[in-house]
């Protein structure tokens, strides 16, 4: 691909075409994970669906690798590659809400912050991630776990339809009525099937939530984790809190002399009637003394962006993940051994509850197969200094090795590292063969292979 092709592409697309000779190149090639330092052949900052079609056609016809990105949060850095054509959807982030129909349609490059801003104005929300800068695209296509999943299901469970540019440059609708097989695969199957240029979601009345972080002493961690494990089994579905391991950041609600110490954190989220929030959280105030907390009523988007500053763009990332049915005493022992060894303030381990509404969807109704897991655990290593890579990666791997025997074979694809490709079949269980069939139909030559790849 040379100057002629780039010139032709610039004539075809409305968005920016960035090549290594452009001043914008170094900024445009960055993704969220600072460990990923790739030099694509061209980055197409798409302004609309026609730009996406042009970029897909260019990649296919030139034989270049094709990377697709929206929020750029992929931990393995699937949104870029050396010598690739990169489709950057981040200029496409408009969100339209139909408050009467209780739906919202968002362009493929929107973040959860963009989405929540638009829906919150109507007192509405759907399940998104816990950070506002994550893209709706990658998160929804992999499943989508967040503060609201116990009550509202996964993000993909709230997807009503999508517009998809496939490998042949066609623009296809996907829903329960049109291209149903593609729609089924998009709900958990990741970016394997095409570029989704718009997502239509069901939205629900959620204006304010009662929530925020609560810190417990390490000596109380076993008590809190065991209590949480039992409590969450049949807690009201409006209750979406999760425990985590966390070093106390220098925040005003935490006593200054405790900054930098490891704690067991509980991130509370009650999405039911706000006046019931205090009572809903009471058991967590009684189970053990709370060292510090910042809990109360707040707009849902405030909780959704409360932790953004802990994960700024450019940190080094290495993550591992597992689904968990029972948080056994042995699993808790493993957490107690490795959790307090957190190597950096940005690193964390979250134990998300995915029962409730997530369990009411049949395992074969969408590509997301683990409808009987109670928890999705992520061991998220994040740190600023590349010189600390070895120690941090070792912590993630040791934690993972210790908890894996007490977990399911599969894990959530969106929390996995690049070296987890051999777990794809386990992640999808009995849905894997059907995903291969859909892949063969919509992307037989595996143009969309920079992802947790389902090989045709
Ligand atoms: C700080 C942080 C917090 C996170 N929190 C959560 C969380 O709370 N819950 C959760 O479920 N996950 C969470 N994740 C994981 C997240 O779901 C994945 O990293 C996901 O891939 C991010 O989507 P993105 O669009 O931002 O990423 P990108 O890097 O832009 O995309 C990742 C991949 O998804 C595919 N993709 C993205 N958009 C499209 C599209 N429009 N069409 C087709 N393919 C597309 C492509 O294969 C792409 O390579 C978090 C990740 C990070 C780094």
């Amino acid at each position: 691909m040379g100057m002629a092709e780039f010139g032709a592409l610039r004539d075809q697309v409305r968005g920016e075409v960035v090549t290594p000779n452009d001043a914008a190149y170094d900024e445009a090639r960055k993704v969220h994970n600072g460990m990923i330092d790739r030099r694509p052949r061209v980055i197409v900052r798409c302004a609309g669906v026609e730009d996406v079609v042009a970029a897909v056609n260019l990649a296919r016809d030139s034989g270049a690798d094709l990377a697709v990105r929206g929020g750029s949060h992929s931990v393995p850095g699937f949104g870029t590659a050396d010598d690739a054509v990169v489709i950057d959807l981040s200029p496409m982030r408009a969100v339209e809400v139909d408050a009467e129909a209780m739906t919202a349609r968002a362009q493929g490059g929107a973040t959860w912050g963009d989405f929540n801003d638009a829906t919150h104005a109507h007192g509405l929300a759907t399940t998104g991630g816990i950070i506002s800068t994550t893209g709706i695209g990658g998160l929804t296509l992999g499943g989508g776990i967040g503060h609201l999943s116990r009550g509202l299901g996964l993000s993909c469970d709230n997807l009503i339809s999508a517009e998809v540019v496939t490998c042949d440059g066609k623009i296809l609708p996907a829903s329960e009525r049109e291209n149903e097989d593609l729609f089924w695969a998009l709900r958990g199957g990741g970016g394997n099937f095409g570029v989704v240029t718009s997502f239509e979601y069901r939205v629900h009345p959620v204006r304010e939530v009662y929530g925020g972080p609560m810190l417990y002493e390490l000596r109380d961690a076993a008590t809190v984790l065991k209590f949480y494990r039992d409590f969450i089994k049949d807690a009201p579905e409006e209750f979406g809190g999760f425990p985590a391991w966390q070093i106390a950041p220098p925040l005003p609600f935490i006593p200054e002399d405790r900054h930098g110490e490891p704690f067991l954190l509980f991130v509370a989220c009650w999405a039911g009637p706000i006046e019931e929030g205090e009572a809903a959280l009471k058991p967590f105030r009684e189970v053990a003394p709370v060292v510090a907390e910042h809990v109360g009523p707040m707009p849902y988007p405030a909780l959704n962006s409360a932790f953004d500053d802990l994960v700024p763009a450019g940190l080094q990332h290495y993550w591992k993940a597992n689904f968990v049915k029972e948080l056994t005493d042995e699993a808790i022992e493993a957490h107690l051994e490795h959790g307090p060894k957190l190597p950096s303030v940005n690193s964390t381990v979250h134990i998300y509850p995915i029962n409730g509404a997530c369990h009411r969807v049949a395992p074969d109704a969408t590509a997301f197969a683990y409808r009987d897991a109670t928890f999705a655990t992520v061991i998220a290593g994040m740190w600023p200094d590349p010189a600390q890579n070895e120690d941090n990666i070792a912590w993630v791997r040791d934690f993972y090795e210790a908890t894996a025997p007490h977990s399911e074979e599969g894990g959530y694809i969106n929390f996995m590292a690049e070296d987890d490709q051999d777990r794809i079949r386990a992640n999808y269980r009995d849905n894997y063969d059907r995903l291969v069939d859909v892949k063969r139909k919509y992307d037989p030559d595996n143009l969309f292979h920079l992802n947790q790849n389902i090989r045709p």
Side-chain angles (χ1 to χ4, degrees), residues 32 68-74 78-79 89 108 129-131 134-135 137-139 141 144-145 191 194-196 199 311 317 319 352 412 414-415 450-451:
H32 195 76
V68 179
R69 70 177 190 239
S72 284
H73 270 205
S74 162
F78 289 135
L89 297 168
I130 61 150
I131 301 290
T134 307
L139 186 136
L141 294 171
I145 296 170
V195 185
V196 180
F199 294 85
V311 287
H317 287 247
W319 296 21
Y352 296 112
Y412 176 39
N414 276 349
F415 291 158
L450 294 173
N451 43 45

Side-chain angles (χ1 to χ4, degrees), residues 273-314:
I274 211 72
E275 62 282 5
E276 293 174 17
E278 198 169 330
L281 261 287
K282 198 160 167 255
F284 284 86
R285 294 213 172 90
E286 290 176 348
V287 63
V290 178
V291 180
E293 65 161 86
H294 191 61
V295 175
M298 62 180 86
Y300 170 67
L303 184 63
N304 185 238
S305 51
F307 306 101
D308 288 5
D309 289 347
L310 280 174
V311 287

Side-chain angles (χ1 to χ4, degrees), residues 127-148:
T127 302
I130 61 150
I131 301 290
S132 79
T133 53
T134 307
I136 62 161
L139 186 136
T140 303
L141 294 171
I145 296 170
H147 297 295
L148 304 176

Side-chain angles (χ1 to χ4, degrees), residues 215-246:
L215 296 179
Y216 297 93
E217 299 286 4
L218 293 179
R219 63 172 173 271
D220 294 322
T223 308
V224 177
L225 283 173
K226 286 178 185 172
F227 172 76
Y228 166 77
R229 161 187 77 189
D230 299 335
F231 173 88
I232 207 69
K233 269 189 198 145
D234 47 21
E237 289 186 0
E238 294 92 337
F239 196 97
F242 63 89
W245 295 101
Q246 181 70 52

